[in-house]
Amino acid sequence: MRETHKTRLLDYLKKYGSITSLEAIRDLGNTRLSATIFTLRKEGHKIISNDIQVPTRWLTTTTIAKYTLV
């Protein structure tokens, strides 16, 4: 089977359970994580998203999405 953003993301979620945009860029080279998640959900995969607070380089916090395979 050919490896794609979808297959790499599913493998990652099965191994680690969850992913953020930064992890997707760093570990998978996927700069459009939400688009890949949208496609996987459309295909029937149960993936939930939770908003989490993370620190920024300016010593503030921001909210990002953390996607989890159910």
Side-chain angles (χ1 to χ4, degrees), residues 4 9-11 13 21-25 37 44 46 59 62:
T4 64
L9 178 55
L10 272 176
D11 289 344
L13 287 170
S21 292
L22 182 59
E23 292 166 337
I25 293 166
I37 294 288
K46 181 73 173 159
L59 305 176
T62 192

Side-chain angles (χ1 to χ4, degrees), residues 2 14 20 22-25 35 38 47 49 51 54 57 67:
R2 189 171 145 242
K14 288 175 185 173
T20 64
L22 182 59
E23 292 166 337
I25 293 166
F38 177 84
I47 301 170
S49 60
D51 290 339
V54 295
R57 65 181 92 175
Y67 298 97

Side-chain angles (χ1 to χ4, degrees), residues 2-70:
R2 189 171 145 242
E3 197 172 75
T4 64
H5 281 305
K6 288 189 317 183
T7 60
R8 283 191 291 270
L9 178 55
L10 272 176
D11 289 344
Y12 189 97
L13 287 170
K14 288 175 185 173
K15 183 173 182 178
Y16 299 105
S18 64
I19 194 165
T20 64
S21 292
L22 182 59
E23 292 166 337
I25 293 166
R26 183 189 63 214
D27 299 341
L28 304 176
N30 185 340
T31 59
R32 293 185 32 101
L33 176 61
S34 62
T36 309
I37 294 288
F38 177 84
T39 302
L40 289 173
R41 284 176 173 161
K42 201 167 144 182
E43 293 176 357
H45 297 279
K46 181 73 173 159
I47 301 170
I48 60 170
S49 60
N50 293 303
D51 290 339
I52 61 170
Q53 295 287 316
V54 295
T56 69
R57 65 181 92 175
W58 297 280
L59 305 176
T60 61
T61 59
T62 192
T63 304
I64 64 166
K66 181 176 185 177
Y67 298 97
T68 304
L69 182 64
V70 177

